[in-house]
Amino acid sequence: MSELPFQLEEIKHQFALGGDYIGYDRINNGHINNTYVLHFQEDGQNRDFLLQQINTHVFHNPDELMENILGVTSYLRRQIEAAGGDPERETLTVYRTIGGTPYYKDAEGHCWRIYNFISNAYTCQNITDPVVFHNAAKAFGTFQQMLADYPSDSLHETIPNFHNTVSRFQDLLQAIEADQAGRAKHVQEEIAFAKAREADCHVLLDLMERGDLPLRVTHNDTKLNNVMFDNDTKQGICVIDLDTVMPGLSLYDFGDSIRFGANTAAEDEKDLSLVSLDLNLFEQYVKGYLSTAGQSLTKAEVDNLAFSAKLMTFECGIRFLTDYLNGDTYFKTAYPEHNLDRCHTQFALVADIERKMVQMQEIVSRA
Ligand code: GN1
Ligand code: MG
């Protein structure tokens, strides 16, 4: 019992989970929080719950974080009900503790929350069927549409400057300067790659300042594995991982989806010859996204779809490089060079997107 990565009895008690505990599975997709599926049985029925330990090193204010999530999920719940959908499957449900709080803080200061487990659905790490990517685009586009009128000033900034590419670039420069882990001398090529693209960091922020790109309520972490697909229909039924729902640019969400889902290789693939931007998947995503979020997008948003794929990939690459230089303090890593390998795939993808930019623009124009 003591080998469990969580205090079972305490969690059961705090969240009033009934039934017999059967076991748990660890979900290893995310780089930030620790996630488990708890299996229970009650009256012969299986009941699963999603348990997460919130990473408070990344999310400094769990109260504000959970306030955002409660606000957004209850808003979505009403919209889903109004549309005749099933809110238990189409959005997350936050479980309250017996004290009425949306998370439980244990004696060591660790913060735990429980969500409903969405059954008969799956997540994917990579795309084998292009239709699924099209469906992911529709799900993220719909998510954005549903939150179009959400009072964005009620949202806390859970991570300040999250997709502020200028400030991300500054963070990189600081990490190079401080060289905490003594690694800077080994990554001069990567640093040069990044520095050669500093100007890109300003493009979207300048457009926003000029009023050409509107601030919207965005998800900000639109990785493929943050959508759940229905086992039977393969439709994207629920957008998950709502920790970074904040005001942002639609292009952050679009670009980040392409970065992860249209890459022909995994985010930490060591063989860089496998990394490339799949133009067919890009097209599938563009079409799916425009079919749901399209009506409300401005011309500047549409014009920058292809560029945003490059920028978000670049941003992620410099974040991995920054963390590598800082000694791996932010992202979970499985081995010492993990962040560097991730940086390499992102930069290889940036280079490939640069080669394909004209074709990507054509795809957007056609769509
Ligand atoms: C993190 O936790 P996860 O894996 O969904 C990160 C994202 C990065 C992503 C890179 C809060 O997302 O911003 O794009 O890793 N989340 C946070 O895979 O920093
Ligand atoms: Mg996340």
Side-chain angles (χ1 to χ4, degrees):
M1 269 315 205
S2 58
E3 279 170 28
L4 290 178
F6 45 84
Q7 296 294 327
L8 178 64
E9 289 309 318
E10 225 170 291
I11 297 285
K12 264 178 74 175
H13 172 68
Q14 285 297 330
F15 290 96
L17 305 180
D20 299 322
Y21 171 74
I22 307 296
Y24 80 96
D25 287 303
R26 196 188 177 108
I27 305 209
N28 283 318
N29 299 346
H31 299 342
I32 306 292
N33 298 317
N34 293 328
T35 309
Y36 312 92
V37 185
L38 305 188
H39 307 293
F40 284 79
Q41 214 163 46
E42 199 170 9
D43 304 327
Q45 299 268 24
N46 292 332
R47 287 210 65 187
D48 293 337
F49 302 94
L50 204 88
L51 171 69
Q52 267 189 331
Q53 183 185 354
I54 301 170
N55 182 334
T56 47
H57 177 67
V58 165
F59 297 104
H60 298 162
N61 192 327
D63 291 301
E64 290 188 355
L65 174 75
M66 293 312 292
E67 206 179 300
N68 277 4
I69 293 179
L70 283 171
V72 166
T73 52
S74 46
Y75 185 88
L76 289 174
R77 178 169 286 269
R78 288 194 295 275
Q79 300 236 353
I80 293 163
E81 275 165 1
D86 176 0
E88 293 298 316
R89 270 171 75 66
E90 295 169 36
T91 190
L92 294 173
T93 304
V94 177
Y95 279 59
R96 300 263 183 184
T97 65
I98 47 175
T101 55
Y103 69 95
Y104 165 61
K105 191 172 188 168
D106 68 21
E108 280 138 64
H110 298 143
C111 297
W112 302 89
R113 67 182 166 202
I114 288 209
Y115 287 126
N116 58 324
F117 181 80
I118 297 168
S119 55
N120 200 38
Y122 65 99
T123 56
C124 27
Q125 300 310 312
N126 63 307
I127 288 292
T128 45
D129 177 359
V131 171
V132 173
F133 201 44
H134 183 87
N135 291 345
K138 288 200 298 186
F140 281 124
T142 304
F143 181 84
Q144 191 188 298
Q145 279 300 104
M146 285 200 291
L147 291 176
D149 294 322
Y150 190 82
S152 60
D153 46 352
S154 72
L155 284 170
H156 304 283
E157 222 181 338
T158 54
I159 302 179
N161 291 320
F162 192 57
H163 283 309
N164 183 323
T165 37
V166 171
S167 115
R168 291 291 185 190
F169 194 82
Q170 284 305 320
D171 293 345
L172 172 64
L173 295 182
Q174 266 173 29
I176 298 167
E177 176 74 28
D179 197 15
Q180 292 275 4
R183 289 168 161 176
K185 56 184 175 295
H186 305 303
V187 291
Q188 288 306 310
E189 243 179 83
E190 292 81 354
I191 291 172
F193 184 95
K195 285 188 172 169
R197 287 160 182 79
E198 181 182 359
D200 287 337
C201 297
H202 296 265
V203 174
L204 298 187
L205 292 168
D206 288 354
L207 285 170
M208 182 167 69
E209 256 166 49
R210 287 214 302 265
D212 291 341
L213 293 177
L215 212 52
R216 302 179 185 277
V217 174
T218 48
H219 181 278
N220 295 306
D221 188 7
T222 49
K223 280 162 84 163
L224 178 63
N225 56 26
N226 282 333
V227 191
M228 299 202 66
F229 300 94
D230 185 275
N231 281 350
D232 306 319
T233 65
K234 291 186 179 173
Q235 291 292 340
I237 47 159
C238 183
V239 168
I240 58 172
D241 192 354
L242 307 176
D243 294 339
T244 50
V245 174
M246 288 182 281
L249 300 180
S250 62
L251 293 169
Y252 298 154
D253 282 0
F254 178 86
D256 198 48
S257 283
I258 301 302
R259 169 191 83 76
F260 190 88
N263 185 353
T264 51
E267 196 183 58
D268 56 358
E269 174 59 57
K270 285 175 189 287
D271 179 355
L272 295 182
S273 72
L274 299 176
V275 175
S276 68
L277 190 280
D278 184 322
L279 285 171
N280 176 41
L281 289 182
F282 178 73
E283 181 163 9
Q284 290 295 329
Y285 200 92
V286 169
K287 287 182 173 163
Y289 186 69
L290 291 180
S291 76
T292 47
Q295 305 94 317
S296 58
L297 296 182
T298 66
K299 182 175 182 313
E301 287 178 302
V302 176
D303 288 348
N304 282 285
L305 289 174
F307 173 75
S308 76
K310 175 185 164 186
L311 183 67
M312 297 315 289
T313 308
F314 181 61
E315 180 199 90
C316 200
I318 64 176
R319 289 178 64 194
F320 289 140
L321 182 57
T322 302
D323 199 35
Y324 180 71
L325 288 164
N326 288 339
D328 310 318
T329 59
Y330 185 91
F331 296 105
K332 284 193 221 168
T333 50
Y335 55 91
E337 306 289 291
H338 206 167
N339 270 319
L340 186 58
D341 285 344
R342 291 168 176 154
C343 162
H344 287 156
T345 59
Q346 302 306 291
F347 284 180
L349 188 59
V350 167
D352 195 52
I353 293 177
E354 285 172 349
R355 286 187 287 271
K356 291 174 177 161
M357 190 49 82
V358 174
Q359 287 158 284
M360 290 166 72
Q361 295 283 16
E362 281 166 9
I363 287 171
V364 174
S365 308
R366 273 206 307 274

